[in-house]
Amino acid sequence: MLKKTCMALLAVFALLCQVQARTANKQKPYRFTINLTNVKDDKVFVELLTPSITTANITYHLPKIIPGTYSEDDYGRYIEQFKAFDKKGKELAVNKSDVNSWTISNANQLYKLSYFVNDSFDDSVTKQVIFEPAGSNIQKDTNYVINNHCFLGYFDDMKQVPYEVTVLHPANIYGSTALTDVDNSPVSDRFVTETYNRIVDNPVMYSIPDTTVIKVANTDVLISVYSPNKKLNSKFLAQKLDTLLQAQGKYFGGKLPVDKYAFIMYFDDKPGYSGGQGALEHSYSSLYYFVEAEPEKVLPFFKDASAHEFFHIITPLTIHSDEIQYFDFNAPKMSEHLWFYEGSTEYHAQMVQGKYGIFSHEDLLNSFSKKITNSRKAYNDTLPFTVMSSEVLGKHKRQFGNVYQKGALINLCLDIKLLQLSQGKYGIMNLVRDLSGKYGINKGFKDSAFFDDIEKFTYPEIRQFLDTYVAGNRPLPLQEVLQLVGVDYKAEMETKDSAFSMGNVGMGFNPATARLKIQDTTGMNIVGRTLGYHPNDEIVALNGKEAGFSTFGNTVQQLYATAKAGDELAITVVRKNGDKEEQVILKAPMTKVPVIKQNVLTFTPNPTAEQLLVRNAWLKM
């Protein structure tokens, strides 16, 4: 399953980096050169011909954090041999003021900076591992994942200056991106943007080209794939993604807010050090990291992540706060409205698949049922969402994943209540269009005024809902809201079914050993208690068969397919005993336990006329 998603799967971005300069800026641009033709020890040489500097001292920064990650990653850690020069090539004094910043003396003489960039994908040393879609990969002459925030920086108060970036590369590799290459050379690309935010918002992946383009409404959608063992290719993924993308085009009303979009997909032949899989969204593209597997096994995760990330062309591209419009990469102030940026995006990703027959209406209810369960089991249901959002980098960091669970449910309730109050004539997509018209790509809103804006376009009852359940601490009134569309809600329901169990424990991943580990034993059932799991046990084998991160699921399925009640279940784990590690075999009889379903949603068999009216407006195309 996806560890971060933005869904990262995620992980999950997503915040906007697309901004225009506040005023017309005639300042000499940053002129960067990234050299991929002379790579040594997985390090890339970067050179910058600087804009005009008039101050005696100035500080150059790489980001501490980037939009969409909600984690402090300190990209300056990967910079080496940082040097500053004047026009005559004389080296200027440089003081490294913190992990991400270099202060240059006699800056009014500054002409050029140079440094080497190491990649984050191979970082097995630090504990501060970067989620791969937000990081960098340097594989000489094979693959380069260029998230520009890993390679390019900015000077104090000069993020609004234009950027010109030239990438020198071997002739046989191609740079996949949503940016336009203004250089016709086969061995160099040149990208020009109006601001730092804009260049950071556009990753590039260099590899031997494997690309396919799909036309969706008015938009050219690029599918670019790197798969080291050729298990996946762009043509296959484009064919499988086409139905979803065409549905999303219809969901938008037949016109998308971008002319070009890029799905950039990196498939690894081993699990990454972060232990996560998923994506990071951008305004005009999304970058994916998955472990290579058979195509049909990858597809469910990929399609779900793609549905989510593509919808970020609405939020926060055309609807976002000033905190995003003028994002501070080293001391960010987080917006209060992750419930809208990530939550509405995840809600749309589910709704488009239910509305346009990619999965059934019953499957749609099941997807929301899982979100209710995940939200209430794993997160604080009484923490106001606005408070969580504004403090997501601090004390509420562990609550971030709830944006994909409760965040989607907030938007579910908002959509249904809007449709009920308008008698089926005005839903959440109508609100999105109105807010996009008021704001847009180049204009942010004030965080504190967002509820006021929504109320002006909708109803006082909607403002009361937002104040009570988003800014307030009360759990969502799911039973009451779902009744408006004739959906019955049961918090718990015991079925007549039973199934084999591995013990009902929470599992995590140890990137250092590439093993699954026992993370949570609080909900163990009788099987788990008999086995005797300990927290941090790492699973290595199941009934004698290897059961690593990538094979555990298949091994369990094969076991369940042939097992009989009473057969021996033997799980080999690595367990710490003081300073030593030892292998322990945990044993229990194969046992079927009752299946108890939680937060069950079903359609009312005989809805009233009012329920049916709102339900049809909610579910029909």
Side-chain angles (χ1 to χ4, degrees):
M1 61 183 294
L2 299 178
K3 180 180 177 183
K4 301 180 180 179
T5 81
C6 296
M7 227 160 253
L9 346 253
L10 29 41
V12 73
F13 187 140
L15 292 179
L16 173 69
C17 288
Q18 158 68 21
V19 293
Q20 301 279 350
R22 300 186 192 185
T23 58
N25 195 327
K26 297 183 180 179
Q27 164 71 282
K28 187 173 72 173
Y30 293 83
R31 291 190 172 96
F32 280 94
T33 300
I34 300 174
N35 191 343
L36 305 183
T37 65
N38 188 24
V39 175
K40 295 180 181 179
D41 300 323
D42 282 352
K43 296 173 187 177
V44 165
F45 184 67
V46 174
E47 187 175 80
L48 164 64
L49 301 183
T50 66
S52 301
I53 308 295
T54 57
T55 57
N57 300 297
I58 198 163
T59 301
Y60 182 80
H61 305 275
L62 262 78
K64 172 184 281 292
I65 182 174
I66 60 164
T69 56
Y70 313 105
S71 63
E72 297 180 348
D73 288 323
D74 292 326
Y75 291 94
R77 291 181 290 143
Y78 299 98
I79 303 302
E80 300 179 10
Q81 300 181 47
F82 186 97
K83 296 180 180 180
F85 302 91
D86 66 13
K87 214 163 194 176
K88 294 181 180 180
K90 180 182 176 182
E91 196 166 340
L92 301 176
V94 174
N95 175 51
K96 190 170 184 182
S97 41
D98 62 45
V99 68
N100 301 303
S101 306
W102 295 260
T103 299
I104 298 115
S105 301
N106 298 316
N108 53 355
Q109 300 176 34
L110 181 61
Y111 174 71
K112 182 174 70 177
L113 298 180
S114 70
Y115 49 84
F116 286 87
V117 181
N118 209 338
D119 63 338
S120 69
F121 277 26
D122 288 339
D123 182 4
S124 61
V125 178
T126 70
K127 294 182 179 180
Q128 193 179 351
V129 180
I130 293 175
F131 181 42
E132 283 78 7
S136 58
N137 186 51
I138 300 171
Q139 291 174 248
K140 186 177 180 180
D141 299 332
T142 304
N143 178 275
Y144 302 90
V145 173
I146 308 293
N147 268 306
N148 282 304
H149 55 263
C150 299
F151 293 79
L152 314 178
Y154 61 90
F155 290 113
D156 287 328
D157 301 320
M158 294 181 68
K159 292 196 296 291
Q160 306 302 314
V161 174
Y163 275 66
E164 295 181 8
V165 180
T166 298
V167 183
L168 307 178
H169 61 84
N172 67 324
I173 64 175
Y174 170 76
S176 296
T177 181
L179 289 169
T180 299
D181 174 16
V182 297
D183 183 348
N184 292 323
S185 168
V187 293
S188 69
D189 298 334
R190 184 166 168 263
F191 306 114
V192 179
T193 68
E194 64 276 14
T195 64
Y196 182 69
N197 301 62
R198 178 83 161 93
I199 194 68
V200 165
D201 194 27
N202 284 277
V204 190
M205 182 175 73
Y206 283 90
S207 59
I208 293 172
D210 178 5
T211 61
T212 301
V213 175
I214 302 173
K215 190 74 173 181
V216 181
N218 56 297
T219 303
D220 290 324
V221 178
L222 171 71
I223 315 292
S224 177
V225 171
Y226 171 75
S227 178
N229 298 304
K230 311 299 181 187
K231 289 186 177 181
L232 297 111
N233 61 70
S234 65
K235 184 177 179 181
F236 171 81
L237 291 177
Q239 288 173 343
K240 297 299 183 181
L241 196 58
D242 186 62
T243 301
L244 172 62
L245 292 177
Q246 299 305 332
Q248 288 181 295
K250 294 174 185 175
Y251 191 87
F252 277 110
K255 183 172 175 58
L256 306 183
V258 299
D259 296 323
K260 183 180 179 182
Y261 190 89
F263 287 93
I264 303 171
M265 288 170 272
Y266 179 97
F267 291 93
D268 207 337
D269 55 4
K270 61 186 182 305
Y273 287 111
S274 78
Q277 298 187 70
L280 182 65
E281 84 281 357
H282 299 272
S283 300
Y284 300 92
S285 61
S286 43
L287 198 155
Y288 297 76
Y289 177 90
F290 288 102
V291 176
E292 247 186 347
E294 296 307 313
E296 295 301 329
K297 293 179 181 177
V298 172
L299 276 175
F301 298 102
F302 169 65
K303 289 176 73 173
D304 207 25
S306 300
H308 175 97
E309 305 304 346
F310 192 60
F311 271 113
H312 276 298
I313 61 177
I314 305 177
T315 54
L317 174 58
T318 59
I319 309 171
H320 54 268
S321 69
D322 285 343
E323 284 79 4
I324 299 168
Q325 183 79 16
Y326 305 110
F327 189 80
D328 188 328
F329 292 85
N330 286 79
K333 180 183 178 184
M334 304 309 292
S335 172
E336 295 179 356
H337 298 294
L338 281 175
W339 70 271
F340 192 70
Y341 307 134
E342 291 291 351
S344 70
T345 302
E346 179 62 15
Y347 174 67
H348 296 316
Q350 303 306 311
M351 287 302 297
V352 69
Q353 296 181 77
K355 273 195 171 191
Y356 290 91
I358 295 171
F359 51 55
S360 69
H361 290 165
E362 286 73 22
D363 287 337
L364 179 65
L365 292 188
N366 288 338
S367 75
F368 291 128
S369 171
K370 291 175 183 177
K371 290 185 183 301
I372 298 169
T373 301
N374 292 340
S375 175
R376 292 185 172 176
K377 284 181 70 174
Y379 303 102
N380 182 351
D381 199 34
T382 60
L383 175 65
F385 229 76
T386 51
V387 174
M388 184 278 286
S389 297
S390 63
E391 298 179 7
V392 72
L393 297 180
K395 61 181 178 180
H396 297 314
K397 184 176 182 177
R398 293 184 180 275
Q399 297 295 315
F400 168 71
N402 211 11
V403 298
Y404 306 109
Q405 313 300 330
K406 188 175 181 178
L409 298 171
I410 290 170
N411 285 273
L412 166 69
C413 293
L414 180 61
D415 195 14
I416 291 174
K417 285 186 70 67
L418 284 169
L419 290 168
Q420 183 259 336
L421 291 166
S422 67
Q423 296 185 332
K425 295 176 181 177
Y426 189 100
I428 195 168
M429 282 303 292
N430 301 92
L431 175 61
V432 163
R433 293 186 188 102
D434 285 340
L435 291 169
S436 297
K438 180 177 175 64
Y439 294 105
I441 292 174
N442 300 316
K443 183 182 178 183
F445 60 76
K446 299 293 182 187
D447 246 25
S448 59
F450 193 45
F451 288 175
D452 294 333
D453 293 335
I454 292 175
E455 183 179 9
K456 289 173 185 175
F457 286 121
T458 60
Y459 305 91
E461 293 91 334
I462 295 299
R463 174 57 184 266
Q464 184 179 359
F465 169 82
L466 295 172
D467 286 338
T468 304
Y469 301 107
V470 182
N473 62 2
R474 292 179 59 185
L476 289 170
L478 289 165
Q479 187 167 13
E480 171 191 325
V481 172
L482 289 166
Q483 272 297 302
L484 299 175
V485 288
V487 170
D488 294 328
Y489 169 63
K490 290 184 179 179
E492 190 170 282
M493 184 175 74
E494 184 169 338
T495 70
K496 296 179 181 178
D497 300 325
S498 61
F500 287 121
S501 171
M502 289 288 110
N504 196 39
V505 290
M507 292 189 182
F509 175 72
N510 183 350
T513 61
R515 298 181 190 135
L516 287 170
K517 68 176 181 178
I518 305 303
Q519 194 159 288
D520 182 8
T521 60
T522 56
M524 282 196 302
N525 58 25
I526 188 171
V527 178
R529 292 191 294 272
T530 304
L531 286 165
Y533 289 116
H534 287 189
N536 297 315
D537 281 351
E538 294 187 8
I539 297 174
V540 294
L542 182 60
N543 280 12
K545 291 185 178 181
E546 190 270 336
F549 172 76
S550 59
T551 60
F552 182 78
N554 286 338
T555 305
V556 170
Q557 287 182 358
Q558 292 170 9
L559 174 64
Y560 286 176
T562 58
K564 297 178 182 177
D567 288 353
E568 183 177 77
L569 171 63
I571 301 179
T572 305
V573 301
V574 171
R575 178 177 293 172
K576 280 194 173 183
N577 185 1
D579 295 332
K580 298 181 180 180
E581 287 187 344
E582 58 184 11
Q583 283 201 357
V584 180
I585 300 177
L586 311 178
K587 294 183 179 181
M590 291 292 296
T591 304
K592 288 192 172 184
V593 298
V595 175
I596 298 175
K597 293 184 177 181
Q598 295 180 316
N599 302 301
V600 180
L601 306 180
T602 54
F603 287 106
T604 305
N606 299 301
T608 66
E610 185 177 359
Q611 287 174 325
L612 196 57
L613 183 151
V614 182
R615 182 195 292 180
N616 288 340
W618 178 51
L619 291 178
K620 291 193 174 180
M621 296 179 280

